[in-house]
Amino acid sequence: MGTVAPLPEMNLSPGKSLLVFLCFAFAASSIGCRRQASEGKEPAAAAEIRHPLRGEILEVHAEGNVLVVRHDEIPGYMPEMTMEFTASSGDVALAKPGQHIRAQLVQRGDDFSLEQIWPDDAAVSGRLDAAARELVQDTVSKGKGAYREVGEEIPTFTLLDQTGTVVESGRFRGKQVLFNFIFTRCPVATMCPASVAKFQTVQAQAKDLGVKNLELVSISLDPTYDTPGVLREYVLQRGIDTSNYTFLTGPESAIKSLLAQFGVHTDFSGKLVNHTLATVLVSPQGRIIHRADGSGWTVKEFVERLNRD
């Protein structure tokens, strides 16, 4: 593995809190609010409250990015009930009535929203968890030898794509596959955004050259935030052609094992993350045939190695 310089810290802090203007007065409440504004004082930000939530989606209202969810009791906070929640456009696009989910309920003042929405289907969860356990066991058993060298086969994995569909690594057998690891909140233009843009250029050039068996895969190294819905929104915002470009996320234990086996180093500290980059080309037989560490790789470097037969 080549030496890779550590990348700068990346701030993963969530978006600014919603500001709610509160004036606790009686008959003169409106006067009090105007006086506060005229004096130039900043209104207090509403405290953010978060709780894990499990429930069933009853209705999906795409026009307002609203989900109607019947959720379980949240001990010490809220009884079992049916509520409307706002959610991201990506999460709403994937939501279906009758779908069971787990998520983070976020209260900011009078606003209730859902974040980190994951499918809570027993069969899907079982497949993901079983595959994650096997991958972790494989990584641990290999110890320092877990890192896959050029010429070795890639590990077996099972994750979710940007549509919420289960994807097994076997799906890519018989394909030339270009892998990398990114996260959607990456704020450094020369890092993850540039890597995705290069993948798009490889995709376009390969198509022009008549390469028919190429797949591109970006795996999130930030699975806590990068749910299938977040990945979908990321794809749509960037106009990414997903006909042969897939974004994957899944259990944190599986992601950590893949990072170890692909030689990507991460250091999560609170809301900050340091990470390296690795771009790996895999043969139709599942063996690594080329890798580039860091962000300095070129599109030509990989396009020239593609088999055009």
Side-chain angles (χ1 to χ4, degrees):
M1 175 181 178
T3 301
V4 182
L7 304 181
E9 287 190 332
M10 301 180 182
N11 196 324
L12 295 182
S13 58
K16 295 180 180 178
S17 299
L18 176 65
L19 295 181
V20 179
F21 293 85
L22 301 175
C23 289
F24 294 101
F26 294 96
S29 61
S30 61
I31 298 175
C33 285
R34 286 196 296 271
R35 182 179 298 120
Q36 186 182 49
S38 66
E39 292 173 354
K41 295 181 180 178
E42 291 293 329
E48 181 180 276
I49 301 172
R50 287 178 172 266
H51 287 279
L53 171 146
R54 273 189 155 89
E56 178 185 0
I57 297 173
L58 302 181
E59 300 175 23
V60 178
H61 300 286
E63 65 280 1
N65 286 332
V66 171
L67 301 177
V68 179
V69 177
R70 180 172 57 221
H71 64 79
D72 298 342
E73 177 187 3
I74 303 174
Y77 176 68
M78 188 181 294
E80 176 184 348
M81 61 190 302
T82 298
M83 291 182 61
E84 288 188 352
F85 297 95
T86 57
S88 74
S89 58
D91 284 323
V92 172
L94 298 183
K96 298 177 180 63
Q99 180 182 29
H100 290 265
I101 60 170
R102 55 185 173 84
Q104 280 281 312
L105 181 158
V106 184
Q107 180 186 357
R108 300 181 183 94
D110 293 328
D111 178 72
F112 293 84
S113 61
L114 294 181
E115 297 179 1
Q116 299 175 26
I117 300 177
W118 293 89
D120 198 26
D121 177 87
V124 171
S125 297
R127 289 175 65 184
L128 292 172
D129 292 343
R133 286 193 297 271
E134 291 184 9
L135 181 56
V136 170
Q137 183 177 3
D138 179 59
T139 304
V140 172
S141 66
K142 285 181 167 57
K144 293 182 179 180
Y147 170 74
R148 304 295 177 114
E149 302 279 359
V150 171
E152 292 188 88
E153 289 191 10
I154 63 170
T156 300
F157 61 80
T158 301
L159 300 171
L160 294 174
D161 70 9
Q162 72 277 358
T163 69
T165 301
V166 175
V167 174
E168 297 180 346
S169 53
R171 172 181 131 179
F172 302 109
R173 282 285 180 164
K175 306 278 189 176
Q176 301 175 91
V177 190
L178 203 54
F179 284 95
N180 70 7
F181 289 81
I182 59 99
F183 66 103
T184 63
R185 293 187 288 180
C186 178
V188 182
T190 57
M191 301 305 296
C192 300
S195 296
V196 171
K198 286 181 181 180
F199 265 35
Q200 290 178 275
T201 303
V202 170
Q203 181 186 43
Q205 290 190 11
K207 183 177 180 181
D208 290 342
L209 292 170
V211 178
K212 301 183 184 302
N213 68 335
L214 175 66
E215 293 281 340
L216 303 103
V217 179
S218 288
I219 301 175
S220 172
L221 54 80
D222 182 21
T224 299
Y225 181 83
D226 286 341
T227 63
V230 170
L231 293 180
R232 176 184 171 88
E233 194 165 354
Y234 184 85
V235 163
L236 292 176
Q237 288 175 347
R238 285 157 182 77
I240 295 172
D241 174 7
T242 56
S243 60
N244 65 331
Y245 190 172
T246 304
F247 288 75
L248 297 176
T249 188
E252 184 177 3
S253 60
I255 297 297
K256 286 183 175 180
S257 289
L258 287 174
L259 291 171
Q261 297 211 27
F262 277 96
V264 178
H265 303 287
T266 59
D267 178 20
F268 286 85
S269 178
K271 298 176 181 178
L272 300 177
V273 57
N274 293 312
H275 74 96
T276 60
L277 292 175
T279 306
V280 178
L281 179 61
V282 176
S283 73
Q285 293 74 40
R287 295 187 179 277
I288 299 172
I289 57 179
H290 182 65
R291 71 174 285 138
D293 293 296
S295 60
W297 64 274
T298 65
V299 169
K300 181 180 179 181
E301 175 183 351
F302 282 91
V303 170
E304 288 183 341
R305 286 176 166 82
L306 296 177
N307 187 333
R308 304 177 190 178
D309 295 337

